[in-house]
Amino acid sequence: MSTLVVDASQGTGVRNLDTLCTFAEIEECDFSKLPEKPRVLHIERNRSFDERSLTELSTGLSPRHYFRNIENLRIGDHLESMYSPGRRSGFHTPNAQHGFEPNPAVTEAWEAIRRSLVNFRGQPVGTIAALDHSQEELNYNQVFVRDFVPSALAFLMNGEPEVVKNFLLKTLRLQSWEKTIDRFKLGEGVMPASFKVLHDPVRNYETLIADFGESAIGRVAPVDSGFWWIILLRAYTKSTGDSSLAEMPECQGGMRLILTLCLSEGFDTFPTLLCADGCCMIDRRMGVYGYPIEIQALFFMALRCALLLLKQDDEGKEFVERIVKRLHALSYHMRSYFWLDFQQLNDIYRYKTEEYSHTAVNKFNVIPDSLPDWVFDFMPNRGGYFIGNVSPAKMDVRWFCLGNCVAILSSLATPEQSAAIMDLIEARWQELVGEMPLKICYPAIESHDWRIITGCDPKNTRWSYHNGGSWPVLLWLLTAACIKTGRPQIARRAIELAESRLPKDSWPEYYDGKHGRFIGKQARKFQTWSIAGYLVAKMMLEDPSHLGMISLEEDKQMKPLIKRSASWTC
């Protein structure tokens, strides 16, 4: 339990990001009477990373000494006694002041990430997707919203927030453009998938060109870009302590436009967000249409971040009310119907079908025979995960890494569920990590299923690319989830695996094979988010205080009312 003593504030209208009231408290609070002075927090033991400031969590110990003592201790308790103000960057980052020899991989990574910086009218605005000159550029020479997130976190952790601020403002400006594809106008809140800087040598003038899906393979607009933008805005505010960017009318308006898109009411009976194949990191046809876990977890996290960032004016209060209601419904739905562990799998195996009325146990009329054989061997006795998708008569029980890690960081997963996900990763290390972290999904689609589901996509052959390929960028998400759940040894093991190969292999985009042994057949080298993912994981493991900018504490009001199995309790 945490005790907050607040020297209350007026003001800004933006919630102090070091506090997390329950939703009931949010609704009862009169924000109009808060003074302008920033809140002063006095927080007792057992606090989450999100409740504590980044400076307070910084430690003065070396990573070896720190993690040698932390293995059997809860991170929240252990960090309490290691207050060391002032140090913000990791041990091996360029801005760090220490006596250690620099890590060659880290030095090389920082050099590569700085070469990938894109300038617009003299200011850095992002990093391009890849610097591989040996292959056709396609759109790898552009700044992608989702790809830039790990780069942004690396710069924030290194005390260089300016490029992140510029990126947030430039993408916000692009959001305001009228977006038309084949004479059809997209919603106002849609954020671009990517943008590039076009230089006119004659006029000596630079302009930005955005892609909202009209140039993408498959012509699918990115659903996740808006969510990542809100999450990154909160990370910037949390890291810098500067709420003035989030307070800008343009940023407040941008958030409201994104929320208007995803909170709109329609025919759907589920609180999850309906979306098309190829609308997220898995940007090709892979059977993730409907309600994919990645989108639902990002949706949940973006809603929680927006709740902290929105000003409490007339427009903001209306959105806060809608967000609170949606979060309650979404957390219940996801924890109840997307969660799978041994007991739940056994229950589904014995489901009856054709049940009618609100008393039905098999609410989605899932046919038990539709469960694939592999899941019975994959599911350990202890452990569990959020499955890929749930829709009428169909459960996609594949494991998807990004969605499960974000579920932990956003506290969509309860502490018990988060621990169960970590248990699963440890129990199925060879399948999910193998020789290169980290499987984007498991298992791969093969044979007839591959032809039907992917449309015979030659890039998504089995154990390649998005079809069971291994993606180094996911390392930062795994590391953050490990630190939050008190399992740093898992992250350290994965980082050591990646570190032994990534520099030698020239930082590929992805790896192929059942265990990630081979560089991807179409993988770009010097893929920026592979480099940034490694840097963020490394810095976060060395200085766990950085977790605060990307992690949210559990809200006790959203605990589900049902129990699933002995591997987690509600």
Side-chain angles (χ1 to χ4, degrees), residues 322-546:
R322 294 170 67 185
I323 290 170
V324 168
K325 291 177 182 177
R326 190 62 167 263
L327 282 171
H328 277 289
L330 185 59
S331 63
Y332 178 84
H333 183 92
M334 297 298 296
R335 293 170 180 178
S336 301
Y337 305 124
F338 274 67
W339 181 254
L340 191 68
D341 55 21
F342 183 83
Q343 182 60 55
Q344 178 67 355
L345 180 61
N346 204 106
D347 291 344
I348 297 170
Y349 177 70
R350 301 178 71 248
Y351 265 171
K352 293 180 174 61
T353 58
E354 304 302 321
E355 294 180 299
Y356 179 74
S357 88
H358 63 277
T359 60
V361 175
N362 185 1
K363 295 182 184 295
F364 300 100
N365 200 38
V366 173
I367 311 299
D369 287 346
S370 69
L371 292 171
D373 292 338
W374 66 265
V375 73
F376 294 97
D377 296 325
F378 179 73
M379 181 63 70
N381 291 332
R382 182 180 179 84
Y385 63 103
F386 288 100
I387 63 174
N389 220 319
V390 174
S391 56
K394 177 66 176 176
M395 296 177 71
D396 181 353
V397 295
R398 284 178 293 173
W399 154 270
F400 288 88
C401 178
L402 193 152
N404 276 272
C405 288
V406 173
I408 291 174
L409 296 176
S410 65
S411 290
L412 171 60
T414 65
E416 296 80 10
Q417 287 174 329
S418 297
I421 293 170
M422 289 293 113
D423 289 339
L424 178 88
I425 292 172
E426 284 193 298
R428 296 292 175 256
W429 185 265
Q430 276 303 109
E431 292 91 337
L432 302 181
V433 181
E435 297 186 28
M436 172 53 65
L438 202 63
K439 286 294 177 199
I440 190 171
C441 68
Y442 181 89
I445 305 169
E446 304 184 63
S447 305
H448 181 67
D449 286 342
W450 168 77
R451 288 191 288 272
I452 298 301
I453 293 173
T454 74
C456 298
D457 185 356
K459 198 167 186 178
N460 270 333
T461 53
R462 65 176 186 168
W463 307 113
S464 180
Y465 200 52
H466 291 141
N467 189 13
S470 299
W471 290 71
V473 64
L474 297 171
L475 190 62
W476 79 265
L477 285 157
L478 174 67
T479 301
C482 288
I483 294 172
K484 184 171 183 180
T485 55
R487 310 279 189 95
Q489 69 278 6
I490 299 177
R492 185 166 63 250
R493 185 181 175 190
I495 290 171
E496 287 172 356
L497 270 176
E499 199 168 56
S500 68
R501 295 189 61 189
L502 285 175
K504 181 177 64 177
D505 295 338
S506 301
W507 308 94
E509 179 183 15
Y510 64 95
Y511 286 77
D512 284 352
K514 202 165 187 178
H515 300 293
R517 294 181 62 199
F518 306 99
I519 298 174
K521 58 187 175 183
Q522 295 188 44
R524 297 304 197 276
K525 301 291 184 70
F526 295 100
Q527 185 81 15
T528 305
W529 70 353
S530 295
I531 299 166
Y534 163 74
L535 281 175
V536 171
K538 193 79 172 173
M539 286 191 283
M540 203 178 297
L541 194 62
E542 290 174 336
D543 183 357
S545 70
H546 292 312

Side-chain angles (χ1 to χ4, degrees), residues 130-202:
L131 270 172
D132 188 353
H133 300 299
S134 66
Q135 297 193 54
E136 187 181 358
E137 285 185 330
L138 294 178
N139 57 356
Y140 283 82
N141 62 349
Q142 298 188 26
V143 179
F144 280 79
V145 172
R146 78 172 70 93
D147 291 38
F148 180 65
V149 171
S151 295
L153 294 177
F155 284 118
L156 288 174
M157 290 177 185
N158 199 45
E160 301 177 64
E162 196 62 29
V163 61
V164 183
K165 182 177 183 179
N166 294 339
F167 170 85
L168 288 166
L169 290 173
K170 289 298 179 287
T171 47
L172 183 65
R173 180 72 180 271
L174 296 173
Q175 183 200 38
S176 65
W177 288 9
E178 183 172 314
K179 301 168 278 285
T180 304
I181 300 178
D182 291 337
R183 302 183 182 181
F184 180 73
K185 186 177 179 182
L186 277 67
E188 284 186 272
V190 173
M191 280 286 186
S194 64
F195 66 86
K196 62 182 177 181
V197 177
L198 189 65
H199 180 70
D200 183 345
V202 176

Side-chain angles (χ1 to χ4, degrees), residues 62-335:
S62 72
R64 289 188 182 87
H65 181 273
Y66 169 72
F67 283 106
R68 189 163 58 239
N69 287 284
I70 201 171
E71 298 289 353
N72 298 315
L73 296 172
R74 290 192 60 83
I75 288 182
D77 292 335
H78 190 64
L79 289 174
E80 197 73 35
S81 61
M82 299 193 297
Y83 172 63
S84 177
R87 188 175 60 77
R88 294 295 302 278
S89 57
F91 286 88
H92 299 304
T93 61
N95 285 355
Q97 300 297 322
H98 56 78
F100 296 104
E101 286 297 320
N103 182 313
V106 171
T107 302
E108 180 182 327
W110 272 111
E111 289 172 355
I113 204 171
R114 295 197 188 285
R115 286 197 303 271
S116 72
L117 278 168
V118 173
N119 289 306
F120 176 67
R121 298 179 184 174
Q123 291 187 319
V125 293
T127 51
I128 61 173
L131 270 172
D132 188 353
H133 300 299
S134 66
Q135 297 193 54
E136 187 181 358
E137 285 185 330
L138 294 178
N139 57 356
Y140 283 82
N141 62 349
Q142 298 188 26
V143 179
F144 280 79
V145 172
R146 78 172 70 93
D147 291 38
F148 180 65
V149 171
S151 295
L153 294 177
F155 284 118
L156 288 174
M157 290 177 185
N158 199 45
E160 301 177 64
E162 196 62 29
V163 61
V164 183
K165 182 177 183 179
N166 294 339
F167 170 85
L168 288 166
L169 290 173
K170 289 298 179 287
T171 47
L172 183 65
R173 180 72 180 271
L174 296 173
Q175 183 200 38
S176 65
W177 288 9
E178 183 172 314
K179 301 168 278 285
T180 304
I181 300 178
D182 291 337
R183 302 183 182 181
F184 180 73
K185 186 177 179 182
L186 277 67
E188 284 186 272
V190 173
M191 280 286 186
S194 64
F195 66 86
K196 62 182 177 181
V197 177
L198 189 65
H199 180 70
D200 183 345
V202 176
R203 298 168 56 201
N204 194 26
Y205 189 75
E206 290 181 335
T207 55
L208 292 177
I209 298 178
D211 178 11
F212 292 92
E214 70 270 27
S215 300
I217 296 172
R219 300 302 188 265
V220 179
V223 175
D224 62 340
S225 289
F227 299 151
W228 280 122
W229 188 89
I230 293 175
I231 293 166
L232 186 56
L233 177 61
R234 185 258 175 187
Y236 171 88
T237 308
K238 179 74 175 179
S239 174
T240 63
D242 176 18
S243 61
S244 62
L245 180 64
E247 290 173 359
M248 290 175 58
E250 294 85 356
C251 285
Q252 293 288 311
M255 279 191 287
R256 290 195 298 267
L257 286 175
I258 295 169
L259 295 170
T260 298
L261 272 181
C262 58
L263 292 175
S264 59
E265 298 172 346
F267 289 98
D268 212 323
T269 58
F270 310 146
T272 40
L273 197 63
L274 182 65
C275 47
D277 240 345
C279 66
C280 52
M281 179 180 173
I282 297 177
D283 58 8
R284 286 171 176 251
R285 184 176 175 85
M286 269 287 289
V288 296
Y289 59 89
Y291 310 93
I293 178 62
E294 178 176 332
I295 289 297
Q296 311 316 318
L298 287 171
F299 180 31
F300 184 87
M301 189 166 193
L303 288 178
R304 293 204 63 192
C305 289
L307 199 61
L308 297 167
L309 295 168
L310 282 170
K311 295 177 73 172
Q312 298 299 318
D313 52 20
D314 291 340
E315 289 181 291
K317 285 181 180 178
E318 177 191 347
F319 278 97
V320 165
E321 292 173 3
R322 294 170 67 185
I323 290 170
V324 168
K325 291 177 182 177
R326 190 62 167 263
L327 282 171
H328 277 289
L330 185 59
S331 63
Y332 178 84
H333 183 92
M334 297 298 296
R335 293 170 180 178

